[in-house]
């Protein structure tokens, strides 16, 4: 370590930055979306070029010092003790090619930057529900998204990639070159190397609607209407004639943290008048509060800015579901109430059922990926948000309780855990099918045999 840092300071370009604990800026660079499992590294290196990333990884490989990449800071896995964080915020670029309907994204580009660049060209692609989420890690980890009914998962829209291996080798993957590696990157890229560039498929904004806008709704109900609301929403989300996505949440009323509420936040791809008609059954139940507004692609996640706040402890899991069970969802209310009663510090925690109208995009259907969750249109999202560090174990138990409730009628072989927010569940939950796992293990032996980028598949 004594020789490594001076050597890196000499070899890397002056525009690259190396921070250690004593340096001004180290603490700020370490901030993440969640302080859960946030460890103190030996150094944070912010390379400014591909060449410097290669130099850095080669030097770390020689010395055996562990490292992890970081982009938007939302992952609880972008942390390491007695190692280096490779922070990509200084290496970033985005190039839109409207003639080819593609966008090339490099390094630490964040979701809002992607949206703004595409909006200028009247284009869209899949995006996460968070302006500060890193584009590349989101895409290579699967990419559940609001536009899935029309364009599929994010990983299904990766055309090609550039990756740096643990040995410091730069490789490119496309349908014509290292195609098996491209397959792995589409859903499991974080386990094979540092993906520094993606070429992503884009679409005209008119795919959303005539003017490229979407309709957003908010319906708030008291807990006493849980059964009626569940019945109404279950009929709406299964109607393939009307494409919608959304979140059905159990949470607390803002500024009244002891009051549980149900909040439905649908997104509808069509005219405002038509959305009002489709979601009329919810209005008939007389919500405590209701509103509808129009949103654009560039403002996709602006209303969720509070969820991107850094700090505090946040545990986030996503569990694939085969269907929506009103009976099981109503029972989640009791688990959430018990959580609030036992630990008042968790008032910002919520349980969410996320739906995507079960429609299929023909182009996405043709793309084979390591992600392997085609046909999974429903997800349970659990956000446990707290400030007391002594509650880690208890919050893990509540996460498991919520997931168990929604998996109640599911055989274990059909369990699905979203790869981008879970590395603790058995790998069979995260990558489905023996053939898929066998192929991933074979490819791991080729591209990352020593486990420089996690020990997964070894």
């Amino acid at each position: 370590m004594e020789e490594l840092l001076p050597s890196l300071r000499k070899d890397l370009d002056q525009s690259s930055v190396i921070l250690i604990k004593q340096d001004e800026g180290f603490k700020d660079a370490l901030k993440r979306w969640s302080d859960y499992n946030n460890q103190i590294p030996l150094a944070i290196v912010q390379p400014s070029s591909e060449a410097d990333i290669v130099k850095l990884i080669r030097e770390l490989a020689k010395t055996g010092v562990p490292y992890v990449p970081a982009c938007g800071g939302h992952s609880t896995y972008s942390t390491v003790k007695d190692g280096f964080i490779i922070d990509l915020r200084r290496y970033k670029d985005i190039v839109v090619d409207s003639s080819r309907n593609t966008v090339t994204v490099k390094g630490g580009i964040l979701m809002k930057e992607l949206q703004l660049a595409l909006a200028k060209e009247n284009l869209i692609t899949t995006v996460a529900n968070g302006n500060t989420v890193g584009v590349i890690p989101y895409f290579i980890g699967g990419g559940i998204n609001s536009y899935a009914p029309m364009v599929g998962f994010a990983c299904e829209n990766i055309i090609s990639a550039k990756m740096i291996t643990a040995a410091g080798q730069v490789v490119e993957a496309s349908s014509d070159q290292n195609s098996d590696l491209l397959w792995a990157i589409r859903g499991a890229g974080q386990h094979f190397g540092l993906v520094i560039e993606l070429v992503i498929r884009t679409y005209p904004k008119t795919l959303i609607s005539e003017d490229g806008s979407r309709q957003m709704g908010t319906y708030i109900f008291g807990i006493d209407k849980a059964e009626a609301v569940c019945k109404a929403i279950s009929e709406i989300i299964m109607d393939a004639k009307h494409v919608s996505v959304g979140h059905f949440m159990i949470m607390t009323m803002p500024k009244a943290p002891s009051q549980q509420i149900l909040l439905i936040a649908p997104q509808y791809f069509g005219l405002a008048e038509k959305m009002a008609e489709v979601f009329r059954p919810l209005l008939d139940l007389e919500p405590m509060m209701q509103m509808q507004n129009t949103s654009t692609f560039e403002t996709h996640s602006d209303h969720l800015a509070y969820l991107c706040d850094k700090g505090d402890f946040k545990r986030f899991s996503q569990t694939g579901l085969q269907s929506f069970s009103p009976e099981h969802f109503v029972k989640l209310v009791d688990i959430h109430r018990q959580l609030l009663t036992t630990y008042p510090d968790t008032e910002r925690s919520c349980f969410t059922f996320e739906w995507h109208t079960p429609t299929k995009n023909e182009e996405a259907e043709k793309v084979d990926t390591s992600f392997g969750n085609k046909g999974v249109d429903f997800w349970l999202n659990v956000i446990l948000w707290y400030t007391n560090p002594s509650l880690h174990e208890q919050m893990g138990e509540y996460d498991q309780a919520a997931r168990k409730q929604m998996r109640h009628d599911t055989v274990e072989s059909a369990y699905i855990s979203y790869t981008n927010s879970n590395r603790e569940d058995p790998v069979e939950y995260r990558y489905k099918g023996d053939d898929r796992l066998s192929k991933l293990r074979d490819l791991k032996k080729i591209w990352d045999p020593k486990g420089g980028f996690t020990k997964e598949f070894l």
Side-chain angles (χ1 to χ4, degrees):
M1 179 65 181
E2 292 181 1
E3 297 179 358
L4 178 59
L5 281 176
S7 175
L8 287 174
R9 293 186 193 280
K10 178 181 176 182
D11 292 342
L12 300 186
D13 189 86
Q14 290 184 350
S15 58
S16 295
V17 173
I18 301 174
L19 298 168
I20 59 175
K21 190 175 181 180
Q22 296 83 358
D23 290 335
E24 182 180 356
F26 179 87
K27 186 176 180 180
D28 187 63
L30 193 61
K31 289 180 180 178
R32 299 187 317 173
W33 176 69
S34 174
D35 288 335
Y36 177 71
N37 193 37
N38 197 3
Q39 303 174 79
I40 306 299
L42 293 175
I44 300 172
V45 183
Q46 298 171 345
S48 61
S49 67
E50 177 183 320
D52 274 6
I53 299 173
V54 171
K55 289 178 186 177
L56 175 59
I57 289 180
R58 287 178 179 174
E59 284 300 313
L60 293 174
K62 286 180 188 177
T63 60
V65 174
Y67 57 88
V68 293
C71 189
H74 281 253
S75 172
T76 56
Y77 305 107
S78 58
T79 185
V80 64
K81 184 179 181 181
D82 298 329
F84 279 39
I85 292 177
I86 303 176
D87 181 348
L88 297 175
R89 72 180 68 193
R90 292 178 186 273
Y91 174 65
K92 60 197 315 186
D93 191 22
I94 184 165
V95 178
V96 180
D97 187 341
S98 55
S99 66
R100 295 174 180 265
N101 282 326
T102 65
V103 59
T104 301
V105 175
K106 294 184 180 182
I109 288 291
L110 303 182
M111 210 58 64
K112 184 68 173 183
E113 294 170 315
L114 174 63
Q115 291 162 215
L116 292 174
L118 290 182
K120 290 179 181 178
E121 303 295 330
N122 295 316
L123 296 171
I124 68 161
T125 192
T126 62
V127 291
N129 291 324
N131 287 337
T132 57
V133 172
V135 171
I136 289 179
Y138 163 76
F139 268 78
I140 66 176
I144 303 170
N145 70 97
S146 297
Y147 307 112
M150 293 166 288
V151 302
F153 291 110
C155 62
E156 294 171 327
N157 289 279
I158 297 174
I159 297 173
S160 63
K162 182 185 286 188
M163 185 185 85
I164 302 175
T165 69
Q169 177 189 8
V170 180
V171 295
E172 297 193 9
S174 67
S175 59
D176 300 319
Q177 183 179 12
N178 298 315
S179 58
D180 279 350
L181 177 60
L182 178 63
W183 175 87
I185 286 172
R186 290 170 167 164
Q190 64 271 39
H191 302 301
F192 287 84
L194 178 48
V195 179
I196 60 168
E197 180 179 314
L198 293 178
V199 177
I200 297 165
R201 184 177 295 107
T202 65
Y203 304 84
K205 71 176 185 179
T206 51
L207 185 66
I208 303 176
S209 64
E210 290 182 6
D211 62 357
S213 65
R214 62 191 172 127
Q215 304 303 315
M216 308 276 289
T218 302
Y219 303 83
I220 298 177
F221 297 91
I223 291 296
D224 59 311
K225 293 188 177 181
E227 291 187 10
V229 173
C230 281
K231 182 178 185 301
I233 198 65
S234 63
E235 294 175 358
I236 293 171
I237 64 180
M238 293 306 297
D239 185 357
K241 296 192 302 292
H242 304 291
V243 180
S244 71
V245 301
H247 294 81
F248 183 10
M249 296 179 270
I250 305 168
M251 57 185 296
T252 59
M253 179 72 84
K255 299 182 180 180
S258 62
Q259 182 182 355
Q260 272 186 305
I261 58 169
L262 300 173
L263 188 151
I264 300 179
Q267 303 172 40
Y268 181 77
F269 303 99
L271 299 174
E273 298 79 9
K274 194 63 179 179
M275 179 180 183
E277 177 186 329
V278 171
F279 287 89
R280 183 72 202 181
L282 294 180
L283 284 176
D284 291 342
L285 294 175
E286 299 181 348
M288 300 163 53
M289 185 182 302
Q290 181 273 331
M291 60 185 230
Q292 180 178 323
N293 62 287
T294 300
S295 176
T296 60
F297 179 72
E298 58 264 46
T299 61
H300 175 88
S301 298
D302 287 3
H303 63 294
L304 298 173
Y306 75 99
L307 284 176
C308 289
D309 288 348
K310 293 183 178 181
D312 296 336
F313 301 107
K314 307 182 188 82
R315 305 277 290 271
F316 180 49
S317 70
Q318 293 177 280
T319 302
L321 303 173
Q322 296 175 335
S323 61
F324 175 60
S325 168
E327 177 186 357
H328 296 158
F329 189 81
V330 167
K331 291 180 180 178
L332 274 186
V333 173
D334 295 331
I335 297 175
H336 186 259
R337 182 184 298 114
Q338 183 185 48
L339 170 69
L340 297 176
T341 302
T342 309
Y343 304 107
D345 182 37
T346 63
E347 62 192 37
R348 289 172 289 180
S349 301
C350 65
F351 301 158
T352 301
F353 173 79
E354 178 177 352
W355 82 84
H356 305 82
T357 300
T359 59
K360 305 303 171 190
N361 174 271
E362 292 183 4
E363 288 302 313
E365 286 292 298
K366 297 176 185 176
V367 180
D368 188 22
T369 72
S370 58
F371 183 55
N373 284 309
K374 291 183 188 297
V376 182
D377 299 306
F378 309 121
W379 299 84
L380 170 68
N381 302 333
V382 176
I383 299 180
L384 294 160
W385 190 334
Y386 55 105
T387 58
N388 186 343
S390 68
L391 297 182
H392 295 329
E393 182 178 350
Q394 294 90 331
M395 294 304 101
E397 292 171 353
Y398 272 94
D399 176 65
Q400 290 296 327
R403 298 165 72 197
K404 181 179 179 181
Q405 179 58 53
M406 292 302 284
R407 282 171 166 166
H408 185 72
D409 295 328
T410 307
V411 296
E412 186 176 359
S413 61
Y415 283 6
I416 297 171
S417 299
Y418 182 44
T419 58
N420 229 0
S421 60
N422 186 304
R423 295 184 187 176
E424 291 73 36
D425 281 357
V427 68
E428 292 80 7
Y429 294 6
R430 293 176 280 129
Y431 296 94
K432 306 303 294 181
D434 292 340
D435 290 345
R436 176 172 283 103
L437 276 173
S438 178
K439 185 175 180 178
L440 283 166
R441 286 169 176 144
D442 289 343
L443 289 169
K444 183 74 169 181
K445 293 174 186 176
I446 297 171
W447 295 104
D448 189 26
K450 296 182 179 179
F453 290 91
T454 80
K455 303 300 181 183
E456 199 71 87
F457 310 125
L458 289 177

